[in-house]
Amino acid sequence: MAPITKVNDKVKVVLTGFQPFAHHLTNPSWLSVQSLHNTVLDLPEVPASKQDPKHHKATQAYLVCQELPVEYQKVPNLVPQLHATHSRVITKDGQIVEVEADESKDKEEKEEYLKTYYIHVGVGRDGYTAIETQAHRTGYGGLDNAKWTPPNKDEPPVVKEEWSADPDLLTTTVDTEALAEYLKTEKGWICQQSLDAGHYLCEYTFYLSMAERQRRIAAGEEGEGERTCLFVHLPSVGNPYTLEELQRFVKDMIAGVVTQY
């Protein structure tokens, strides 16, 4: 029996956090997202004056979470795999022929989500939350959890021939300045736009995610608006937010991204 494709009013949000590393004995990035796995977030209604007629009309977001290792030589395989796992398979003429199954549904039933978002979360500087804007292909250093550091800052941490044409800098399609302002003025969070993601595993993961999106578009596997990638840095717990507050911030951030971009 062929799978039944069910069109619904949901988008899918793939959230990642990181394992503990260095002096972070627990990592607030994973602690803040793990409880959201396989849950549905109700989205706020967008005022008519702010609605983009080309934007999806989703009322809910289905959340899927995964913890990533703090290892340069593992994330280049895991990030593309994450994109492939949650991809809609599209034929050359643009018709959707298969979609990722919702884990909570019967195997014979598949759901078509209106859009997929990849939001990567990491631990950053204390005092504020940061919405990252861009990521670099090279320039990485710092010891990872495998006691390994990239040998050459002029090359990507992991070199693959098929990635040689990737651009040196990639920028998210999200208006990070506007998103940070929304979270600050409308939701009351200490939040700012960032142009420096730190040149460590956080930025490398962000770059790989955006690069995978670009490769899928170039290969004709999806359109420009099929998925959105973003990276957000959280402070450590208690500086200034409790874990419960960081979890609320993540939900507010997701709603802000999904309803506007």
Side-chain angles (χ1 to χ4, degrees):
M1 179 180 177
I4 300 170
T5 300
K6 178 185 176 183
V7 180
N8 61 34
D9 59 353
K10 295 188 186 76
V11 294
K12 179 184 282 187
V13 179
V14 180
L15 289 163
T16 69
F18 285 101
Q19 293 175 346
F21 70 100
H23 65 281
H24 298 286
L25 302 182
T26 59
N27 196 321
S29 66
W30 178 240
L31 293 177
S32 298
V33 306
Q34 64 177 333
S35 64
L36 299 176
H37 183 58
N38 273 347
T39 65
V40 174
L41 179 66
D42 290 327
L43 301 173
E45 185 176 354
V46 179
S49 60
K50 295 184 178 181
Q51 289 182 3
D52 183 341
K54 296 181 180 180
H55 193 53
H56 61 72
K57 299 298 187 290
T59 59
Q60 293 182 316
Y62 172 59
L63 312 181
V64 181
C65 305
Q66 181 169 324
E67 186 179 31
L68 297 179
V70 184
E71 295 185 38
Y72 281 110
Q73 293 174 302
K74 287 186 176 180
V75 293
N77 291 324
L78 291 173
V79 172
Q81 181 182 353
L82 199 65
H83 277 259
T85 298
H86 300 285
S87 172
R88 300 198 300 183
V89 179
I90 302 176
T91 62
K92 290 183 179 180
D93 61 0
Q95 297 300 309
I96 299 167
V97 295
E98 184 179 352
V99 294
E100 175 64 13
D102 182 334
E103 296 176 15
S104 66
K105 302 293 183 181
D106 185 272
K107 290 183 179 179
E108 294 299 323
E109 181 179 342
K110 290 178 178 288
E111 288 195 277
E112 176 189 332
Y113 295 93
L114 299 175
K115 185 172 180 176
T116 304
Y117 295 80
Y118 294 79
I119 302 180
H120 308 284
V121 184
V123 58
R125 296 179 179 177
D126 287 343
Y128 60 92
T129 61
I131 312 298
E132 299 298 341
T133 304
Q134 59 191 21
H136 296 81
R137 180 172 177 264
T138 61
Y140 293 95
L143 200 67
D144 67 11
N145 278 356
K147 308 301 180 185
W148 186 86
T149 190
N152 184 357
K153 287 191 174 183
D154 293 329
E155 293 285 346
V158 173
V159 178
K160 290 189 177 183
E161 180 62 31
E162 62 267 33
W163 295 356
S164 60
D166 286 348
D168 293 330
L169 180 70
L170 287 172
T171 301
T172 179
T173 55
V174 174
D175 185 337
T176 55
E177 183 178 12
L179 177 60
E181 185 65 21
Y182 161 80
L183 290 167
K184 182 172 63 175
T185 59
E186 295 194 34
K187 294 299 179 178
W189 299 106
I190 304 172
C191 186
Q192 65 183 45
Q193 177 198 39
S194 171
L195 300 176
D196 181 4
H199 278 94
Y200 190 51
L201 262 299
C202 289
E203 182 167 348
Y204 189 40
T205 297
F206 191 21
Y207 181 87
L208 290 169
S209 193
M210 290 190 288
E212 183 64 20
R213 173 184 179 271
Q214 292 290 82
R215 282 190 284 271
R216 298 183 70 86
I217 292 171
E221 296 175 350
E222 63 185 58
E224 283 281 349
E226 190 71 22
R227 65 187 63 199
T228 292
C229 303
L230 186 65
F231 198 102
V232 178
H233 270 120
L234 304 180
S236 58
V237 176
N239 297 290
Y241 297 120
T242 65
L243 177 57
E244 291 73 18
E245 288 172 326
L246 290 175
Q247 291 168 338
R248 290 205 306 272
F249 169 82
V250 169
K251 290 182 180 180
D252 283 346
M253 177 269 299
I254 292 171
V257 173
V258 170
T259 55
Q260 296 296 323
Y261 307 101

